[in-house]
Amino acid sequence: MLVDQKYWNPVLETLPREEIRKLQLKKFKAIFQWAYDHSKFHRSLYDTAGITPNDIRSFADIRRVPKVEKSMMRDVQRKDPFPYGDALCVPLEEVSEFRQTSGTTGQPIYQADTWQDWEWWSECWAYILWAQGYRPADRVFIPFGYNIFVAFWAGHYAAEKIGCEVVPGGVLDTKARILKIQELKATAMMATPTYVLGMADTAKNKMNINPADLSINKITCAGEPGASIPSTKKRMQNAWGAKVFDHAGATEIGAWSFECQDQPGGMHVNEAFFLVEIEDVETGEIIEEPGRRGKMIITALDRMAQPCVRFDAKDIIEWDSVPCSCGRTFRLIKGGVIGRADDITKVKGVLLAPSAIEEVVRSIDELCDEYEVVVDKLGDIDRIKLKVELLPGLEDRVKEIESRLQDQLRLKTNLGYRIDFYDYGKLPRHEVKARRFKDLRKSH
Amino acid sequence: MTAHKIDLKELERKVQLMRKTAEELKEMADSFPALDRNLSRMLATIKMLELNIGI
């Protein structure tokens, strides 16, 4: 039976490693040739570096190919054809999809896709959803404001491709979405971790509905690392009585990794469709071995209109040392995306990853889901303020909870914090991605 | 169907036949929007078949 099949693609997902590498090299050569032949931007970049398609014979050659950074794409998009610029590889009339990045790190990048690219997007997502147990009998609710951001658009199309029944939860507010899930007995959902927790909070505290009593049995997260942070994942799974899975993707890359049903504490890279390299941030050396963190350089091997070739994604990842029990031969990245090179910052001389703070806050049961971190300077000295919300009725235990929180934060991050406690509901709520980490030193 | 029973060569042959047929139809459809546009979509889908068998 089709529904009993473990893999969306029983051939590619179980290919021996050497076959995967051969396929990646073959595809890299093809996408490099395509970009060289059709994009003025790429040809100029590669000509300047003195590298042509004929030079690509091995993975060592691939490492000589210049990386593309987001800031370069901003320059590209000031050129013709409007609005995509000269990295566009197809005539404008072949572009059928417009999306843009959220602009959290600067001017948004516009992303062009042809219909084939869009089929590719939903194909990548089909690998994700099938691996997470989505099947044709599922009724999938998508509480997402369908708009210019790619977010769950491709998840919607992939769920359709798999044969699921898809309920678009577009402009409904949170309460209406919860009532619709209840009314339709939806079995699966896709949302950011922030919103998964926010919906559960609204259901419990404003509607007297226990989300675990609803029929959702699996949730796919995106947009934030929460589903790979153990304490956040646990909160979401407990709140909804459902399995929660992570996936990572980006507008200018595609949906490149996913957690499978075995929940191995990491995500598979879809290596049939993407080439992921990990680069040592200090030396620029490519890291092949497990256990060493570095910055992801990624190539979307089949994306044509606006190619993504050795894109410096700034995601911090590391290879896992053990293969997954699910049997896929696609490599795992341990703990998912650990952070972004932009966000991992030195505070008082210590490297701080905001996800480490989240792991601690969400592991303290007496605290609500929301929190905020503000780093600033008092004179020449860095200081970190952590704002948290206490669950109602625990006000007389503040000192004990603060002491536990301080101990855990020092253990996990090697830093001391000023902690401000707020009453439940006082910190801002977010519907999509939350900006919980604010480094005010950068504006000084 | 398990991985070891999949005849990739035969799958490839039939997918290429589909591509050839769709391309030939598209050439005949340049004044027939309903065919031309649907064939473009069909060719995108055929590309996904190709990617999934590693062509």
Side-chain angles (χ1 to χ4, degrees):
Chain A
M1 290 265 295
L2 193 72
V3 294
D4 300 327
Q5 293 301 317
K6 192 171 182 179
Y7 311 115
W8 175 248
N9 187 324
V11 176
L12 297 181
E13 291 179 75
T14 58
L15 267 189
R17 291 296 311 163
E18 62 275 17
E19 293 297 319
I20 291 177
R21 297 293 273 174
K22 264 192 221 167
L23 181 67
Q24 287 181 315
L25 185 57
K26 181 180 93 170
K27 285 186 163 197
F28 188 93
K29 286 179 189 174
I31 195 70
F32 186 83
Q33 179 84 56
W34 169 264
Y36 190 83
D37 290 345
H38 295 87
S39 153
K40 280 187 192 167
F41 161 71
H42 286 93
R43 176 172 285 234
S44 163
L45 182 70
Y46 302 146
D47 280 347
T48 304
I51 189 160
T52 67
N54 289 335
D55 297 325
I56 307 296
R57 293 182 205 90
S58 66
F59 284 94
D61 297 328
I62 291 175
R63 288 165 197 166
R64 293 174 44 224
V65 173
K67 289 173 282 185
V68 174
E69 299 208 11
K70 201 174 235 183
S71 57
M72 296 158 85
M73 291 307 292
R74 292 192 179 106
D75 292 337
V76 164
Q77 297 201 329
R78 292 192 190 101
K79 297 178 183 161
D80 285 331
F82 176 81
Y84 302 110
D86 63 3
L88 189 68
C89 288
V90 296
L92 268 178
E93 58 267 28
E94 287 187 22
V95 176
S96 63
E97 303 292 325
F98 168 91
R99 298 289 186 280
Q100 68 173 63
T101 60
S102 60
T104 43
T105 58
Q107 174 72 21
I109 304 297
Y110 303 135
Q111 180 67 46
D113 284 310
T114 60
W115 184 255
Q116 181 182 299
D117 287 329
W118 192 243
E119 278 281 0
W120 168 85
W121 253 109
S122 60
E123 195 62 32
C124 296
W125 262 88
Y127 279 78
I128 296 167
L129 297 183
W130 194 270
Q132 296 175 352
Y134 287 67
R135 295 295 183 269
D138 275 307
R139 181 172 291 142
V140 183
F141 189 84
I142 307 187
F144 155 64
Y146 292 74
N147 56 28
I148 51 176
F149 305 123
V150 74
F152 296 99
W153 275 106
H156 179 126
Y157 279 68
E160 284 181 348
K161 186 180 279 204
I162 283 174
C164 305
E165 179 184 348
V166 183
V167 185
V171 295
L172 302 176
D173 67 16
T174 302
K175 286 183 180 174
R177 285 167 172 168
I178 290 160
L179 290 174
K180 193 53 75 179
I181 288 170
Q182 188 178 48
E183 175 196 340
L184 295 177
K185 300 184 170 59
T187 58
M189 187 171 87
M190 304 174 196
T192 60
T194 290
Y195 196 54
V196 171
L197 288 171
M199 284 177 84
D201 184 50
T202 299
K204 272 188 285 192
N205 296 309
K206 295 185 179 152
M207 302 170 77
N208 204 24
I209 292 173
N210 180 359
D213 292 340
L214 300 172
S215 41
I216 296 288
N217 61 49
K218 53 189 161 291
I219 298 172
T220 301
C221 287
E224 299 173 323
S228 284
I229 297 174
S231 60
T232 301
K233 188 188 206 71
K234 189 175 161 199
R235 277 188 181 224
M236 290 191 281
Q237 296 199 140
N238 288 346
W240 286 89
K243 270 193 150 185
V244 172
F245 301 104
D246 202 2
H247 119 273
T251 313
E252 59 277 63
I253 301 169
W256 57 272
S257 72
F258 59 88
E259 188 178 1
C260 66
Q261 274 187 300
D262 287 14
Q263 295 186 308
M267 291 196 287
H268 291 278
V269 173
N270 182 341
E271 294 184 288
F273 284 36
F274 296 89
L275 173 65
V276 164
E277 303 166 81
I278 305 179
E279 184 186 271
D280 187 295
V281 178
E282 304 286 328
T283 65
E285 168 204 358
I286 295 296
I287 299 169
E288 295 286 1
E289 70 274 25
R292 266 177 72 196
R293 289 180 181 184
K295 193 170 60 161
M296 179 173 79
I297 310 297
I298 187 163
T299 301
L301 296 165
D302 306 290
R303 195 176 194 179
M304 310 304 279
Q306 204 167 302
C308 168
V309 181
R310 297 206 85 221
F311 182 68
D312 183 351
K314 310 226 182 283
D315 286 332
I316 300 294
I317 57 173
E318 67 177 78
W319 294 119
D320 205 334
S321 57
V322 285
C324 186
S325 52
C326 75
R328 284 178 182 80
T329 48
F330 292 168
R331 287 182 89 176
L332 286 172
I333 50 169
K334 192 176 179 180
V337 174
I338 295 151
R340 288 189 49 80
D342 297 340
D343 286 343
I344 293 178
T345 183
K346 272 195 175 170
V347 179
K348 298 179 189 171
V350 176
L351 274 179
L352 173 68
S355 58
I357 300 174
E358 176 165 325
E359 166 64 4
V360 172
V361 171
R362 298 264 171 82
S363 71
I364 307 268
D365 291 340
E366 292 86 347
L367 297 177
C368 301
D369 299 325
E370 295 299 332
Y371 70 95
E372 232 178 70
V373 184
V374 181
V375 181
D376 65 3
K377 263 187 186 298
L378 187 63
D380 286 334
I381 299 167
D382 294 338
R383 66 178 179 178
I384 322 173
K385 189 195 290 179
L386 172 62
K387 302 177 186 180
V388 291
E389 280 184 359
L390 202 58
L391 282 173
L394 301 176
E395 292 75 11
D396 56 339
R397 290 180 53 201
V398 166
K399 282 210 163 134
E400 171 232 324
I401 294 164
E402 179 173 1
S403 159
R404 198 146 34 99
L405 189 52
Q406 286 283 19
D407 287 349
Q408 285 301 309
L409 286 166
R410 188 166 293 284
L411 188 71
K412 294 278 166 64
T413 69
N414 264 326
L415 287 162
Y417 296 71
R418 179 183 138 186
I419 298 173
D420 290 348
F421 284 89
Y422 289 76
D423 291 338
Y424 168 76
K426 294 293 180 195
L427 289 177
R429 263 54 183 168
H430 308 269
E431 277 227 347
V432 193
K433 291 185 194 182
R435 292 287 291 169
R436 293 197 171 87
F437 185 80
K438 293 173 184 162
D439 190 347
L440 303 182
R441 297 170 304 172
K442 289 170 182 168
S443 56
H444 283 190
Chain B
M1 185 156 71
T2 52
H4 67 273
K5 292 181 192 161
I6 296 169
D7 183 346
L8 278 174
K9 285 264 182 293
E10 182 60 3
L11 283 176
E12 184 177 340
R13 193 185 68 77
K14 287 189 185 277
V15 169
Q16 292 307 335
L17 196 60
M18 285 174 75
R19 169 169 289 286
K20 188 166 175 283
T21 306
E23 283 173 347
E24 283 168 3
L25 277 170
K26 196 158 168 27
E27 273 178 31
M28 296 163 65
D30 63 346
S31 58
F32 200 153
L35 284 192
D36 178 83
R37 295 290 78 201
N38 275 298
L39 283 159
S40 286
R41 287 198 167 209
M42 191 180 283
L43 282 163
T45 303
I46 290 171
K47 181 69 185 173
M48 295 308 113
L49 298 181
E50 292 169 354
L51 294 182
N52 276 312
I53 57 174
I55 302 178

